[in-house]
Amino acid sequence: MNLTVIGTGYVGLVTGACFAEMGNTVYCVDIDANKIARLKEGVIPIHEPDLERIVQSNAKEGRLRFTTSLPEAMADSSVYFIAVGTPPGEDGSADLQHVLGVARDIGQNLKDYAVVVNKSTVPVGTADRVRAAIAEELAKRGAEVSFDVVSNPEFLKEGAAVDDFMRPDRIIIGSSSERASEILRLLYTDFSRNHDKIMVMGERDAEMTKYAANAMLATKISFMNEVANLCDKLGVDVEKVRLGIGSDARIGYSFIYPGCGYGGSCFPKDVSALIHMAEQNYLFPLVLQSVHQRNMFQKMILGEKIVARFGQDLSGKVLALWGLAFKPGTDDMREAPSIILLQQLISCGARVQAYDPVAMDAARQVLPKAWFDNGSLTLAEHQYDALKGADALALVTEWKPFRHPDFGAMKRLMNAPVVFDGRNQYDPARMAAEGFEYFGIGRGRKL
C-alpha cells in the first residue's frame, strides 16, 4: 500500500518507518527542509532504539521516502496520516493549528478518494473539524471528491516505540465508514496476526480513548507518589507497600513505582488537555486536577530533600546529577523532573555536575545558556566524572548503567557519600552497609 505521513516528529517518523518495514511505500512529509535533508542522509533527529536501522534500511530499499512537497506525496498514495504536533496552550488545551493546517493543505490538493487519518493526539471532536476543513477547501475549488476521516491514536512509549508499533497491545480505528475501516484493517493486518488486536469504534470514542489511557497511567503514578510521601512521614518503606498492592491482579505492578514525577510529551500534556475539555463542558475534574497537581509537587520532592539535608543556602556545594531525560531510552527532556531539580539547586547557589547517557545534546539546547556560562551547570563526559568533588549525588533518571554502580569508586570520588535516589533504584540496607547516607522516595526516612 502507498501511504503518506505528514510530520516527521516522534510519532510520524516511527509510524512511517514501521509501515515501510512491513513492505509499504511511505512518503514522509515535513515543512522543515533541513530535517528532510538530514533524514535523506540517514541522520535521525531523535533517540529511539532500532529506529535508525529501520529508517536507513527502508530508505535504501526505496520504501521510505522523504519530501517537503505534500502534493508530490499525495499523488502516489491514498491514505494520509496526520502526525504533526499539538502543543499545549496556556490554558492546557491542545493547539490544533498544525493539524487543521494540514487538513486544509490536503483539501487543496485532493483529487481522488482518500482516507485521512488523525495519528496526532487530538481533543474529542477533532475528526469533525478536520473533515470540515477539507470539505471547505474542496468547496473553494469547486471539486467533488469523496474522502473519509479516521481517528487512529498511537500508544507508543518513548524508548520502546518501534517495538510498541510492531507488536501493539491494541489497534484502535475510530471510523463511521466501513470503507475506511476496511482499508485501515487491511493496512494493520500484519501487526495483528497472532490474534485480532483491532478495535473499531466511533471517531470520538477513539479520540477519548487515547486521553483516557494516558490519564489513567498518570493517575496510577501520582497516586503512588502520594502514598510514598505519606510513607516518609510514617516511617514506612513504600517498596514493601508497592509489592503488597501490586500482587493484587486488579491493581498490578505497572506504573506504581514511586519517584520524582512523570514528564515527557504525553502524560503532562494529555492530562492538561483532558482537564481543559472537562472544564469547557462545565465539569470540574477533581481527580485529574489532583493527578496534575501531585505531579507538579512531586517534581520538587528531591530538591526539598536536598535542602532539608544541607540547608537553604547551597553556596559552595557541588551536586552530582545522574539522568537528564524524562525517562530511560530517550533523549527527550520535555517536562523532565531534572529541569525542576536543576532550577531548585542552582537558585539556592549550588553548582551541578550532570550526566546522561544520551540527553547531553538535548540538555545543551533546552537548558538556560546562563547556567553553563556562569559555571552553575557542567555536563560531565562520564557518569563517574560527575561525582568528582560532589557533596551528594541525585539520581533522577533510572538508566541501566546507574543501577549497579561501583560504590567504592563513588566514595573515593565524592566529598561525602550522600545519595538522593529519585527513582528508588538502590536498597537502603545495602547503601547503609556500603557507608552511604541514603534518601529515597517514600523509604520511611523523614527529613
PDB file of all heavy atoms in Angstrom, residues 6 9 64 86-87 114 149 162 197 240 332 337 354 367-368 398:
ATOM      1  N   ILE A   6       2.372  12.828   7.288  1.00  0.00           N
ATOM      2  CA  ILE A   6       2.691  14.259   7.335  1.00  0.00           C
ATOM      3  C   ILE A   6       3.154  14.608   8.743  1.00  0.00           C
ATOM      4  O   ILE A   6       2.397  14.505   9.702  1.00  0.00           O
ATOM      5  CB  ILE A   6       1.482  15.114   6.938  1.00  0.00           C
ATOM      6  CG1 ILE A   6       1.011  14.723   5.532  1.00  0.00           C
ATOM      7  CG2 ILE A   6       1.822  16.592   6.971  1.00  0.00           C
ATOM      8  CD1 ILE A   6      -0.441  14.408   5.439  1.00  0.00           C
ATOM      9  N   GLY A   9       8.074  14.102  13.193  1.00  0.00           N
ATOM     10  CA  GLY A   9       8.464  14.128  14.590  1.00  0.00           C
ATOM     11  C   GLY A   9       8.473  12.718  15.140  1.00  0.00           C
ATOM     12  O   GLY A   9       8.573  11.730  14.407  1.00  0.00           O
ATOM     13  N   LEU A  64      10.906   3.937   1.956  1.00  0.00           N
ATOM     14  CA  LEU A  64      10.716   5.092   2.823  1.00  0.00           C
ATOM     15  C   LEU A  64      11.342   6.303   2.156  1.00  0.00           C
ATOM     16  O   LEU A  64      12.552   6.334   1.901  1.00  0.00           O
ATOM     17  CB  LEU A  64      11.355   4.838   4.190  1.00  0.00           C
ATOM     18  CG  LEU A  64      11.117   5.886   5.274  1.00  0.00           C
ATOM     19  CD1 LEU A  64       9.633   6.036   5.580  1.00  0.00           C
ATOM     20  CD2 LEU A  64      11.884   5.514   6.551  1.00  0.00           C
ATOM     21  N   THR A  86       0.666  18.819  18.566  1.00  0.00           N
ATOM     22  CA  THR A  86      -0.488  19.510  19.168  1.00  0.00           C
ATOM     23  C   THR A  86      -0.040  20.069  20.513  1.00  0.00           C
ATOM     24  O   THR A  86      -0.441  19.577  21.567  1.00  0.00           O
ATOM     25  CB  THR A  86      -1.686  18.553  19.352  1.00  0.00           C
ATOM     26  OG1 THR A  86      -1.250  17.397  20.104  1.00  0.00           O
ATOM     27  CG2 THR A  86      -2.225  18.098  18.016  1.00  0.00           C
ATOM     28  N   PRO A  87       0.822  21.083  20.495  1.00  0.00           N
ATOM     29  CA  PRO A  87       1.382  21.606  21.748  1.00  0.00           C
ATOM     30  C   PRO A  87       0.315  22.196  22.649  1.00  0.00           C
ATOM     31  O   PRO A  87      -0.730  22.670  22.170  1.00  0.00           O
ATOM     32  CB  PRO A  87       2.358  22.684  21.265  1.00  0.00           C
ATOM     33  CG  PRO A  87       1.828  23.099  19.920  1.00  0.00           C
ATOM     34  CD  PRO A  87       1.244  21.856  19.319  1.00  0.00           C
ATOM     35  N   ALA A 114      -9.656   9.313  -0.681  1.00  0.00           N
ATOM     36  CA  ALA A 114      -8.550   9.048   0.238  1.00  0.00           C
ATOM     37  C   ALA A 114      -9.084   8.903   1.658  1.00  0.00           C
ATOM     38  O   ALA A 114     -10.191   9.368   1.980  1.00  0.00           O
ATOM     39  CB  ALA A 114      -7.523  10.173   0.189  1.00  0.00           C
ATOM     40  N   VAL A 149     -12.466  10.495   7.154  1.00  0.00           N
ATOM     41  CA  VAL A 149     -11.535  10.870   8.219  1.00  0.00           C
ATOM     42  C   VAL A 149     -11.620   9.816   9.317  1.00  0.00           C
ATOM     43  O   VAL A 149     -12.707   9.442   9.757  1.00  0.00           O
ATOM     44  CB  VAL A 149     -11.856  12.262   8.798  1.00  0.00           C
ATOM     45  CG1 VAL A 149     -10.922  12.582   9.964  1.00  0.00           C
ATOM     46  CG2 VAL A 149     -11.735  13.324   7.713  1.00  0.00           C
ATOM     47  N   VAL A 162       9.371   1.617  18.624  1.00  0.00           N
ATOM     48  CA  VAL A 162       9.398   0.710  17.477  1.00  0.00           C
ATOM     49  C   VAL A 162       8.780  -0.626  17.853  1.00  0.00           C
ATOM     50  O   VAL A 162       7.945  -1.177  17.128  1.00  0.00           O
ATOM     51  CB  VAL A 162      10.837   0.528  16.956  1.00  0.00           C
ATOM     52  CG1 VAL A 162      10.901  -0.574  15.905  1.00  0.00           C
ATOM     53  CG2 VAL A 162      11.359   1.841  16.381  1.00  0.00           C
ATOM     54  N   LYS A 197      -6.160  -7.756  17.227  1.00  0.00           N
ATOM     55  CA  LYS A 197      -5.983  -6.664  18.177  1.00  0.00           C
ATOM     56  C   LYS A 197      -6.716  -5.403  17.727  1.00  0.00           C
ATOM     57  O   LYS A 197      -6.625  -4.370  18.382  1.00  0.00           O
ATOM     58  CB  LYS A 197      -4.487  -6.347  18.324  1.00  0.00           C
ATOM     59  CG  LYS A 197      -3.638  -7.526  18.765  1.00  0.00           C
ATOM     60  CD  LYS A 197      -2.165  -7.174  18.725  1.00  0.00           C
ATOM     61  CE  LYS A 197      -1.302  -8.383  19.071  1.00  0.00           C
ATOM     62  NZ  LYS A 197       0.136  -8.068  18.973  1.00  0.00           N
ATOM     63  N   LYS A 240       7.934  -1.980  50.044  1.00  0.00           N
ATOM     64  CA  LYS A 240       7.162  -3.119  50.576  1.00  0.00           C
ATOM     65  C   LYS A 240       5.677  -2.936  50.252  1.00  0.00           C
ATOM     66  O   LYS A 240       4.975  -3.896  49.916  1.00  0.00           O
ATOM     67  CB  LYS A 240       7.368  -3.221  52.090  1.00  0.00           C
ATOM     68  CG  LYS A 240       8.814  -3.372  52.531  1.00  0.00           C
ATOM     69  CD  LYS A 240       9.437  -4.645  51.994  1.00  0.00           C
ATOM     70  CE  LYS A 240      10.785  -4.930  52.647  1.00  0.00           C
ATOM     71  NZ  LYS A 240      11.791  -3.887  52.409  1.00  0.00           N
ATOM     72  N   ASP A 332      14.573  12.762  25.240  1.00  0.00           N
ATOM     73  CA  ASP A 332      13.517  13.764  25.391  1.00  0.00           C
ATOM     74  C   ASP A 332      13.566  14.380  26.792  1.00  0.00           C
ATOM     75  O   ASP A 332      13.500  13.675  27.800  1.00  0.00           O
ATOM     76  CB  ASP A 332      12.159  13.092  25.152  1.00  0.00           C
ATOM     77  CG  ASP A 332      11.030  14.089  24.954  1.00  0.00           C
ATOM     78  OD1 ASP A 332      11.207  15.280  25.275  1.00  0.00           O
ATOM     79  OD2 ASP A 332       9.955  13.679  24.470  1.00  0.00           O
ATOM     80  N   PRO A 337      11.649  15.947  35.122  1.00  0.00           N
ATOM     81  CA  PRO A 337      11.861  16.337  36.518  1.00  0.00           C
ATOM     82  C   PRO A 337      13.242  16.920  36.764  1.00  0.00           C
ATOM     83  O   PRO A 337      13.423  17.735  37.680  1.00  0.00           O
ATOM     84  CB  PRO A 337      11.683  15.017  37.277  1.00  0.00           C
ATOM     85  CG  PRO A 337      10.750  14.217  36.422  1.00  0.00           C
ATOM     86  CD  PRO A 337      11.137  14.558  35.008  1.00  0.00           C
ATOM     87  N   ALA A 354      26.305  17.287  35.853  1.00  0.00           N
ATOM     88  CA  ALA A 354      25.266  16.368  35.395  1.00  0.00           C
ATOM     89  C   ALA A 354      25.767  15.447  34.295  1.00  0.00           C
ATOM     90  O   ALA A 354      26.645  15.798  33.503  1.00  0.00           O
ATOM     91  CB  ALA A 354      24.061  17.160  34.896  1.00  0.00           C
ATOM     92  N   LEU A 367      18.298  23.668  28.238  1.00  0.00           N
ATOM     93  CA  LEU A 367      18.579  24.348  29.499  1.00  0.00           C
ATOM     94  C   LEU A 367      19.132  25.754  29.259  1.00  0.00           C
ATOM     95  O   LEU A 367      19.759  26.008  28.229  1.00  0.00           O
ATOM     96  CB  LEU A 367      19.565  23.523  30.318  1.00  0.00           C
ATOM     97  CG  LEU A 367      19.068  22.118  30.700  1.00  0.00           C
ATOM     98  CD1 LEU A 367      20.158  21.349  31.427  1.00  0.00           C
ATOM     99  CD2 LEU A 367      17.812  22.195  31.555  1.00  0.00           C
ATOM    100  N   PRO A 368      18.906  26.677  30.197  1.00  0.00           N
ATOM    101  CA  PRO A 368      19.361  28.066  30.023  1.00  0.00           C
ATOM    102  C   PRO A 368      20.863  28.169  29.785  1.00  0.00           C
ATOM    103  O   PRO A 368      21.661  27.573  30.526  1.00  0.00           O
ATOM    104  CB  PRO A 368      18.965  28.727  31.347  1.00  0.00           C
ATOM    105  CG  PRO A 368      17.840  27.902  31.868  1.00  0.00           C
ATOM    106  CD  PRO A 368      18.143  26.493  31.446  1.00  0.00           C
ATOM    107  N   GLU A 398      16.331   6.623  35.735  1.00  0.00           N
ATOM    108  CA  GLU A 398      16.793   5.280  36.086  1.00  0.00           C
ATOM    109  C   GLU A 398      17.409   4.524  34.899  1.00  0.00           C
ATOM    110  O   GLU A 398      16.989   3.416  34.539  1.00  0.00           O
ATOM    111  CB  GLU A 398      15.655   4.472  36.724  1.00  0.00           C
ATOM    112  CG  GLU A 398      14.446   4.194  35.849  1.00  0.00           C
ATOM    113  CD  GLU A 398      13.410   5.302  35.836  1.00  0.00           C
ATOM    114  OE1 GLU A 398      13.781   6.479  35.982  1.00  0.00           O
ATOM    115  OE2 GLU A 398      12.226   4.981  35.652  1.00  0.00           O
TER     116      GLU A 398
END
